[in-house]
Amino acid sequence: MAEKRGHTVKLLNPFPIEKSLEVELNGKWYRTISKDFRSWTGKRRIAIGYDEQGNAIHEEYNGPIFQEGTNKTI
Protein backbone atom coordinates (compact mmCIF):
# COMPACT_ATOMS: atom_id res chain seq x y z
CA MET A 1 0.00 0.00 0.00
CA ALA A 2 1.36 3.43 -0.90
CA GLU A 3 2.06 6.01 1.79
CA LYS A 4 0.49 9.45 1.74
CA ARG A 5 2.57 12.05 -0.02
CA GLY A 6 2.43 15.82 -0.22
CA HIS A 7 0.81 18.03 2.41
CA THR A 8 -0.01 15.72 5.31
CA VAL A 9 0.55 18.17 8.20
CA LYS A 10 -2.33 20.24 9.57
CA LEU A 11 -1.53 23.92 8.94
CA LEU A 12 -1.55 26.22 11.97
CA ASN A 13 -3.82 29.26 11.82
CA PRO A 14 -3.16 31.58 14.80
CA PHE A 15 -6.07 33.80 13.72
CA PRO A 16 -9.84 33.29 13.39
CA ILE A 17 -10.36 31.74 9.93
CA GLU A 18 -14.12 32.37 10.05
CA LYS A 19 -13.54 36.16 9.89
CA SER A 20 -12.97 38.19 6.73
CA LEU A 21 -9.22 38.00 6.04
CA GLU A 22 -7.77 40.73 3.82
CA VAL A 23 -4.36 41.54 2.32
CA GLU A 24 -3.11 44.79 0.80
CA LEU A 25 -1.87 44.79 -2.79
CA ASN A 26 -0.95 48.02 -4.61
CA GLY A 27 -2.85 50.17 -2.11
CA LYS A 28 -6.11 48.16 -2.33
CA TRP A 29 -7.44 45.58 0.12
CA TYR A 30 -8.49 42.15 -1.16
CA ARG A 31 -10.31 39.38 0.66
CA THR A 32 -8.37 36.11 0.69
CA ILE A 33 -8.39 32.59 2.07
CA SER A 34 -6.45 31.55 5.17
CA LYS A 35 -3.85 29.61 3.13
CA ASP A 36 -2.73 32.82 1.39
CA PHE A 37 -3.30 35.10 4.42
CA ARG A 38 -0.91 33.12 6.64
CA SER A 39 1.99 33.43 4.14
CA TRP A 40 1.42 37.03 2.98
CA THR A 41 4.46 39.24 3.69
CA GLY A 42 2.66 42.56 3.17
CA LYS A 43 -0.02 44.24 5.29
CA ARG A 44 -2.80 41.98 6.60
CA ARG A 45 -6.03 42.79 8.43
CA ILE A 46 -9.08 41.03 9.85
CA ALA A 47 -12.66 42.34 9.89
CA ILE A 48 -13.74 42.06 13.53
CA GLY A 49 -17.26 43.46 13.29
CA TYR A 50 -19.50 46.18 11.88
CA ASP A 51 -20.46 49.67 13.00
CA GLU A 52 -24.00 51.16 13.06
CA GLN A 53 -23.84 52.08 9.35
CA GLY A 54 -22.83 48.55 8.33
CA ASN A 55 -19.20 49.38 7.60
CA ALA A 56 -16.61 46.77 8.53
CA ILE A 57 -14.32 47.45 11.48
CA HIS A 58 -10.82 46.15 10.76
CA GLU A 59 -7.93 45.22 12.99
CA GLU A 60 -4.38 45.05 11.61
CA TYR A 61 -2.83 41.60 12.00
CA ASN A 62 0.85 41.40 13.01
CA GLY A 63 1.14 37.69 13.71
CA PRO A 64 3.67 35.18 12.39
CA ILE A 65 4.27 34.72 8.67
CA PHE A 66 4.56 31.09 7.53
CA GLN A 67 6.25 29.61 4.49
CA GLU A 68 3.53 28.58 2.04
CA GLY A 69 2.21 25.10 2.72
CA THR A 70 4.28 24.58 5.89
CA ASN A 71 4.29 25.51 9.58
CA LYS A 72 7.77 27.06 9.36
CA THR A 73 7.88 30.75 10.21
CA ILE A 74 9.78 33.26 8.12
Side-chain angles (χ1 to χ4, degrees), residues 13-66:
N13 290 312
F15 48 82
I17 61 173
E18 68 277 0
K19 303 278 187 179
S20 175
L21 307 173
E22 299 179 359
V23 296
E24 185 183 36
L25 178 64
N26 297 328
K28 291 182 70 176
W29 289 93
Y30 296 93
R31 191 169 180 182
T32 186
I33 58 175
S34 62
K35 178 176 127 336
D36 297 327
F37 185 82
R38 65 193 302 278
S39 60
W40 190 260
T41 57
K43 289 186 177 182
R44 301 177 287 174
R45 70 182 186 183
I46 301 173
I48 57 171
Y50 296 92
D51 62 12
E52 296 82 27
Q53 290 79 31
N55 300 318
I57 300 170
H58 295 96
E59 182 178 89
E60 189 170 338
Y61 180 74
N62 294 316
I65 300 171
F66 296 94

